[in-house]
Amino acid sequence: MRENTFVRRYGLIILAGVVVGAAALILTAAGNPKNMGFCIACFERDIAGALGLHGAGKVQYLRPEIPGIVLGAMLSAFVFREFKARAGSCPASRFVVGLFVMIGALVFLGCPLRMVIRLGGGDLTAVAGLLGFLAGILAGIVFLKKGFSLGRAYPVKMGEGFALPAVMLGLLALLLLAPGLLKFSEEGPGSMRAFWLISLAAGLAVGFIAQRSRLCMAGGLRDAFLIQDFTLLAGFLAIWATVTVGNLIMGNYSLSMTSQPIAHSQHLWSFLGMALAGWGSILLGGCPLRQLILAGEGNGDAAVTVLGMVTGAAIAHNFGLAGNADSAVDGVYKVGGVGSAGMIAVVIGFAVLLAVSLLHLPGKEEA
Amino acid sequence: MVDARGQSCPIPVVMTRRVLEKETPARLEVLVDAQVAVENVTRCARSLGYQVTAEPQGADFKLTLTK
């Protein structure tokens, strides 16, 4: 009986974690950058680059994983009758918060999902990111407990629910039918890519199961601390475990602070970048992956958040805010990290999140 | 009655829990509009010793929590 309860409660979410972890391993083996089989922030940044929204030549590619996730989630939502067009919960605030979540993630060099994948590759520089993510979530929880809410969303016409899925179909059409319009990196992470069909299939699978299981990187830690519910955290841990085991089997596990793929060792800024991403994710009701899933379920507010994140990626690279990876040049190890513009952007981000948090607390009559 | 329709995760749970802990009512109705909120509120209420029934109400769901 107890076993049945465990399976019923944790079976699907652990399966989702295993699928996401396996998809990340497969994509890396098929050509995606190391420890970046999946990364929502990085891939949205690459898409921004492919569309010419920023000019960072090393991170431009229309990653089919992102359209795959949104469309996979939409498919699942339709199959299980959960597709509902909803919108109207402070979309402008969500756009801005999404923008700063992206900047925080790019300062760290990865979204919360890639943070887990980096940990699963033995990348100890991601530990500072994990601690920062946790700190950001705890900050968000303080405001949730005080009654923070961006307000309710309302039912809207179906067309609004199809907005982001339609954009994603359009992006896929550009990639397959008019690639000449897009920019493609010839070196750097953007040039490392799995065959598009593998990427799309992995995205669809992840989108489908993440919709079913409600997988959310921020939700796992949030629920554990806020309501002592460990369901979503099990998915977080299952990704970590799957990627760790897979990397160990394939000989790609490297437990170290140095020479990690697309990572830097400025721990303070890894911490602060992910703290920004964590706090923002709590205000938004979910991590960057979850925003894609919600947009696939017809949530127009999540769609606006995703557009805010893409804009944040463009800003991050146009103004040199993103972190630079450590690198070895001519045998000399060069520590990367964050420039002063990135540091200032993170500080501004904290001020913006604090303002959004305070401005959306209940008034005296509502408390 | 708690009206948590249209609220982002985990606010339906936070709203419900606040009432359950402050007022410990023998019975509470919670309105939500997403399956995920039904699941989350149900889990939370059960952990606080309530029994939960859920019924569709138009495009929404009405949860009845009883102790």
Side-chain angles (χ1 to χ4, degrees):
Chain A
M1 183 65 196
R2 173 174 283 186
E3 205 167 282
N4 272 342
T5 316
F6 182 87
V7 170
R8 205 181 312 152
R9 181 155 186 173
Y10 293 106
L12 184 62
I13 189 80
I14 289 176
L15 177 67
V18 171
V19 168
V20 172
L25 292 165
I26 290 168
L27 287 170
T28 298
N32 275 12
K34 278 190 178 169
N35 288 357
M36 203 195 279
F38 254 107
C39 171
I40 309 308
C42 317
F43 291 180
E44 288 176 355
R45 170 206 59 199
D46 291 353
I47 289 176
L51 296 172
L53 299 175
H54 68 68
K58 290 183 177 177
V59 284
Q60 296 171 327
Y61 174 49
L62 205 145
R63 299 266 177 200
E65 288 89 346
I66 299 292
I69 291 171
V70 175
L71 297 172
M74 187 176 82
L75 185 67
S76 171
F78 268 107
V79 170
F80 295 96
R81 296 167 179 266
E82 290 184 2
F83 187 91
K84 283 184 175 175
R86 294 271 188 279
S89 166
C90 285
S93 296
R94 286 177 189 270
F95 183 95
V96 174
V97 173
L99 188 152
F100 280 103
V101 165
M102 178 59 96
I103 290 174
L106 292 179
V107 160
F108 165 69
L109 288 175
C111 70
L113 176 56
R114 181 169 189 243
M115 176 187 77
V116 180
I117 291 171
R118 278 171 59 174
L119 289 166
D123 179 351
L124 292 176
T125 64
V127 173
L130 176 61
L131 295 174
F133 189 52
L134 178 59
I137 286 171
L138 293 175
I141 285 177
V142 169
F143 291 97
L144 281 179
K145 282 189 170 169
K146 288 179 186 289
F148 170 86
S149 167
L150 288 173
R152 67 159 298 185
Y154 293 85
V156 289
K157 300 274 190 204
M158 285 290 268
E160 172 74 2
F162 287 124
L164 200 74
V167 167
M168 292 296 157
L169 277 176
L171 292 178
L172 276 180
L174 278 178
L175 177 69
L176 300 178
L177 305 176
L181 296 175
L182 301 171
K183 296 182 190 305
F184 291 85
S185 294
E186 287 173 5
E187 55 168 348
S191 69
M192 301 174 195
R193 44 199 184 234
F195 179 57
W196 69 268
L197 202 53
I198 299 176
S199 298
L200 180 62
L204 286 167
V206 165
F208 194 95
I209 196 144
Q211 195 281 332
R212 279 322 295 147
S213 63
R214 330 303 187 193
L215 184 70
C216 175
M217 299 297 102
L221 291 166
R222 176 198 67 204
D223 290 356
F225 283 93
L226 180 65
I227 49 176
Q228 290 74 52
D229 183 322
F230 301 95
T231 315
L232 293 178
L233 190 61
F236 180 103
L237 296 173
I239 298 174
W240 191 344
T242 304
V243 175
T244 302
V245 170
N247 277 325
L248 282 168
I249 292 171
M250 296 192 292
N252 291 333
Y253 191 82
S254 158
L255 190 68
S256 169
M257 276 279 186
T258 53
S259 298
Q260 291 293 352
I262 316 166
H264 65 72
S265 44
Q266 265 192 356
H267 305 303
L268 174 65
W269 292 96
S270 290
F271 179 93
L272 292 173
M274 282 315 270
L276 190 61
W279 186 356
S281 294
I282 297 305
L283 302 184
L284 294 169
C287 70
L289 169 68
R290 184 79 184 142
Q291 299 303 319
L292 291 175
I293 303 301
L294 290 169
E297 292 176 2
N299 186 318
D301 298 315
V304 168
T305 306
V306 172
L307 298 177
M309 292 185 63
V310 172
T311 307
I315 289 174
H317 282 282
N318 285 334
F319 294 93
L321 313 178
N324 293 300
D326 292 355
S327 57
V329 182
D330 299 331
V332 180
Y333 193 75
K334 187 167 164 265
V335 172
V338 185
S340 50
M343 295 174 183
I344 293 167
V346 169
V347 173
I348 293 172
F350 281 120
V352 169
L353 295 195
L354 181 63
V356 171
S357 301
L358 291 172
L359 290 170
H360 293 91
L361 290 177
K364 276 191 181 137
E365 69 284 0
E366 300 168 74
Chain B
M1 162 80 86
V2 171
D3 183 355
R5 289 175 295 171
Q7 297 284 353
S8 303
C9 270
I11 293 169
V13 175
V14 174
M15 291 168 77
T16 306
R17 201 175 149 112
R18 187 180 299 151
V19 174
L20 293 182
E21 287 180 344
K22 244 187 195 168
E23 303 168 14
T24 55
R27 180 188 156 89
L28 179 68
E29 287 183 354
V30 182
L31 273 181
V32 295
D33 71 345
Q35 186 62 37
V36 61
V38 173
E39 294 162 12
N40 292 345
V41 171
T42 300
R43 259 202 319 261
C44 170
R46 285 198 181 135
S47 76
L48 293 172
Y50 283 82
Q51 288 185 324
V52 183
T53 56
E55 52 180 318
Q57 206 171 59
D60 304 323
F61 301 92
K62 187 173 88 177
L63 301 175
T64 308
L65 283 44
T66 48
K67 200 155 198 173

